[in-house]
C-alpha cells in the first residue's frame, strides 16, 4: 500500500491548486476596464442632468416673462427689454425681442434666457406670439 500512497501524494502535488499570477492580472484588468466604463457613464449621466435642470429653469423664466407680456395691456410690447429673475437659488437674465408678423395685430416675441448678466450666452430661447388685446376691426 505504500507505493500507491506515494502516487496519490505525487498526483496531488502536481495538480494546480489555485490561479496563476497571469490569470489574476487579467481578471484585475477586466474589473478595472469595467469600473472605469461605469464611472464615465455615471459622470456623463450627472452632467446631462445638470444641463436638463438648467434648461428647465431657463424655460420657466422665459414662460414667466411671456405670461407677463400677455397680461400687460400695452401694445405693442417693448422691443429689446431686459431683466432678471431669481429662481432656484440663481439669478437668470432674460431679454426679449419683438418681431413683426404679416398681421398688424400679432407680434412674435422671442425671450432669450441665460446666466450671464452681459447676455453673451443663453441657456434657452422661447418664442411665442402675442396678439393685440384691442384689435382694430377692418372689414
Amino acid at each position: 500500500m505504500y507505493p500507491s500512497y506515494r502516487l496519490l501524494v505525487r498526483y496531488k502535488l502536481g495538480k494546480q491548486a489555485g490561479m496563476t499570477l497571469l490569470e489574476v492580472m487579467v481578471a484585475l484588468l477586466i474589473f478595472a476596464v469595467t469600473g472605469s466604463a461605469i464611472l464615465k457613464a455615471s459622470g456623463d449621466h450627472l452632467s446631462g442632468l445638470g444641463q436638463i435642470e438648467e434648461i428647465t429653469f431657463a424655460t420657466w423664466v422665459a414662460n414667466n416673462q411671456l405670461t407677463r407680456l400677455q397680461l400687460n395691456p400695452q401694445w405693442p410690447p417693448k422691443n429689446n427689454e431686459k431683466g432678471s429673475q431669481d429662481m432656484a437659488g440663481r439669478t437668470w437674465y432674460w431679454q426679449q425681442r419683438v418681431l413683426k408678423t404679416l398681421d398688424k395685430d400679432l407680434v412674435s416675441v422671442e425671450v432669450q434666457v441665460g446666466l450671464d448678466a452681459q447676455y453673451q450666452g443663453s441657456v434657452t430661447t422661447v418664442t411665442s406670439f402675442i396678439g393685440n388685446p384691442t384689435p382694430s376691426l377692418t372689414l
Side-chain angles (χ1 to χ4, degrees):
M1 286 203 173
Y2 182 74
S4 64
Y5 175 73
R6 190 191 276 170
L7 288 173
L8 184 62
V9 170
R10 206 181 277 168
Y11 175 73
K12 284 188 177 180
L13 289 178
K15 186 177 179 187
Q16 184 178 352
M19 297 176 65
T20 64
L21 179 60
L22 182 61
E23 290 171 335
V24 170
M25 290 177 70
V26 168
L28 286 174
L29 177 69
I30 291 170
F31 285 129
V33 169
T34 305
S36 64
I38 290 172
L39 283 175
K40 181 172 178 358
S42 63
D44 291 346
H45 177 70
L46 290 176
S47 173
L49 284 178
Q51 287 177 327
I52 290 170
E53 180 183 82
E54 274 190 357
I55 291 169
T56 300
F57 289 136
T59 302
W60 289 350
V61 169
N63 287 336
N64 286 346
Q65 178 57 24
L66 288 171
T67 301
R68 281 189 206 101
L69 286 175
Q70 289 176 347
L71 295 174
N72 189 357
Q74 176 186 349
W75 181 258
K78 293 181 183 176
N79 191 18
N80 294 327
E81 190 173 354
K82 298 177 180 181
S84 64
Q85 180 179 347
D86 290 331
M87 182 177 285
R90 291 187 259 183
T91 301
W92 299 88
Y93 299 94
W94 57 265
Q95 64 181 3
Q96 71 186 26
R97 218 173 85 181
V98 179
L99 305 169
K100 292 182 181 180
T101 62
L102 296 177
D103 186 350
K104 64 180 178 166
D105 289 325
L106 186 70
V107 292
S108 172
V109 179
E110 184 180 271
V111 178
Q112 195 174 26
V113 180
L115 292 167
D116 184 21
Q118 281 72 38
Y119 304 99
Q120 297 299 321
S122 69
V123 175
T124 191
T125 302
V126 177
T127 304
S128 182
F129 292 93
I130 298 179
N132 187 349
T134 57
S136 58
L137 297 175
T138 55
L139 298 173

